[in-house]
Amino acid sequence: MEFNDIKSTISLAYDRFFQNADSRTADWFLMPSPFPQGTIILAYILFVTLVGPRLMENRKAFDLKNILIVYNFAVVGLSVYICYEFVMSGWGTGYSFRCDLVDFSDSPQAVRMAATCWLYYFSKFIEMLDTIFFVLRKKYSQVTFLHVFHHSIMPFTWWFGVRFSAGGLGTFHALLNSVVHVIMYTYYGLTAMGPNYQKYLWWKKHLTTIQLIQFVMVTTHICQYFFLSDCPYQFPIFVYIIGSYGMIFLFLFLNFYYHAYTKGKRLPKVLQAQTWAHHTNGIMSSAANGHSNGHTNGLIGHHKEA
């Protein structure tokens, strides 16, 4: 097969791929093609894993206290707004929490839902700053594979969500994730403000439980699709993606909870501290949504998304 034939085949496949795309989001920022976001994601991965650490190798860690305070509470405000928009565009104004289809019409509410999906998608790029701050502060133990994978895969998969399926039952996990982000980034912000605010963080111990509840709810909601007798949801592939993602992180959190709170409680205090440190600095510290961008907090830090 000649080069021109290969090029024509790829071009034809690409055009067919977009035949079922949502025309409403076609011209929105980053939406015309997946390649611009791919460039951003690749640049992010290269910076936090290779370029950034090399640049910081002979430099003193940056003191980003004030920046972290502003950043965390800004994300809180954005997450509150996203929650409100998800509720007003469907989840509090007509969705059944069962087989909710995507409304591709140009009605104000349908377009509002699509815009909210795009805003949630775009917020995933903002949250990449979590990892960048880790690198600039030389907190390399937090830059784990799962942490970077999470921050890379969320915007990547959500591009397809906004471009093809901006609404319906596939957005429930985004609403829940935004609610959790309000709580998590409030914690990060207060933590970044210093020891004087520790008295306001008495609820720290409940954060892992909140994350567990999130993933149970996400998995339960999306998996009901398989038990509904008639649910013509337009893009079932997203059901499989969301369900897989929810179950993976539910398993990771349950494993962490067992080692940190169940198994760990039976250990002497010194060994408990070692067990906790192991999880806060190891792979599990990244499984959460976010990322403990103020201080090290184990799975409490995530960001994070499902």
Side-chain angles (χ1 to χ4, degrees):
M1 184 179 290
E2 296 182 358
F3 175 75
N4 288 335
D5 293 333
I6 296 175
K7 184 178 178 181
S8 297
T9 301
I10 294 175
S11 178
L12 181 62
Y14 187 81
D15 291 338
R16 287 179 176 176
F17 177 74
F18 279 98
Q19 284 181 352
N20 296 320
D22 189 341
S23 60
R24 299 172 305 172
T25 64
D27 298 324
W28 293 4
F29 183 58
L30 293 176
M31 286 291 105
S33 165
F35 296 112
Q37 73 144 7
T39 301
I40 296 173
I41 293 171
L42 179 60
Y44 160 77
I45 294 173
L46 290 176
F47 179 83
V48 301
T49 61
L50 183 63
V51 178
R54 287 189 178 182
L55 289 175
M56 294 301 297
E57 186 174 2
N58 298 316
R59 289 180 171 85
K60 183 179 179 181
F62 286 94
D63 180 7
L64 303 178
K65 177 181 177 180
N66 292 333
I67 293 177
L68 285 173
I69 293 172
V70 173
Y71 166 73
N72 285 313
F73 285 115
V75 175
V76 170
L78 177 60
S79 299
V80 169
Y81 179 72
I82 292 174
C83 289
Y84 174 77
E85 288 298 302
F86 269 130
V87 170
M88 297 305 296
S89 59
W91 289 106
T93 55
Y95 275 20
S96 67
F97 291 82
R98 291 179 64 77
C99 183
D100 295 300
L101 306 181
V102 182
D103 183 354
F104 291 105
S105 74
D106 291 319
S107 70
Q109 184 159 319
V111 173
R112 186 176 186 177
M113 171 58 80
T116 305
C117 290
W118 179 89
L119 184 59
Y120 178 80
Y121 158 75
F122 186 73
S123 73
K124 301 301 107 182
F125 292 103
I126 296 174
E127 290 164 12
M128 287 179 174
L129 288 171
D130 287 5
T131 327
I132 294 173
F133 290 148
F134 283 153
V135 172
L136 296 180
R137 296 168 63 227
K138 305 185 81 168
K139 302 290 185 180
Y140 301 129
S141 63
Q142 299 297 323
V143 187
T144 63
F145 169 78
L146 283 179
H147 177 94
V148 176
F149 175 77
H150 169 82
H151 280 280
S152 303
I153 200 66
M154 282 296 287
F156 178 79
T157 54
W158 258 87
W159 184 90
F160 294 92
V162 178
R163 194 66 185 85
F164 289 85
S165 181
L169 61 88
T171 63
F172 179 67
H173 74 284
L175 169 61
L176 277 184
N177 186 234
S178 298
V179 171
V180 171
H181 275 197
V182 172
I183 301 170
M184 294 295 172
Y185 280 94
T186 297
Y187 175 83
Y188 301 151
L190 291 174
T191 302
M193 294 174 72
N196 292 335
Y197 291 84
Q198 291 298 312
K199 60 184 177 182
Y200 301 113
L201 300 176
W202 55 267
W203 41 278
K204 170 184 175 181
K205 62 183 179 181
H206 301 297
L207 295 180
T208 301
T209 302
I210 292 172
Q211 292 280 24
L212 281 170
I213 293 172
Q214 172 191 199
F215 290 115
V216 168
M217 292 179 67
V218 167
T219 305
T220 301
H221 173 265
I222 204 67
C223 286
Q224 70 176 325
Y225 170 82
F226 300 105
F227 301 95
L228 295 173
S229 58
D230 182 26
C231 183
Y233 179 64
Q234 296 94 325
F235 293 96
I237 182 62
F238 293 120
V239 173
Y240 290 92
I241 292 173
I242 296 167
S244 299
Y245 200 75
M247 287 188 286
I248 288 170
F249 278 95
L250 177 60
F251 170 77
L252 291 174
F253 271 85
L254 286 171
N255 184 62
F256 168 80
Y257 192 91
Y258 170 73
H259 287 285
Y261 296 113
T262 303
K263 184 178 179 181
K265 281 185 177 181
R266 293 194 290 267
L267 298 174
K269 289 186 177 181
V270 173
L271 292 182
Q272 285 186 38
Q274 292 175 353
T275 301
W276 179 257
H278 169 74
H279 286 287
T280 56
N281 292 313
I283 291 177
M284 293 302 297
S285 66
S286 68
N289 238 355
H291 331 276
S292 59
N293 50 35
H295 292 270
T296 302
N297 296 298
L299 270 190
I300 289 171
H302 149 176
H303 175 194
K304 245 102 357 314
E305 157 268 118

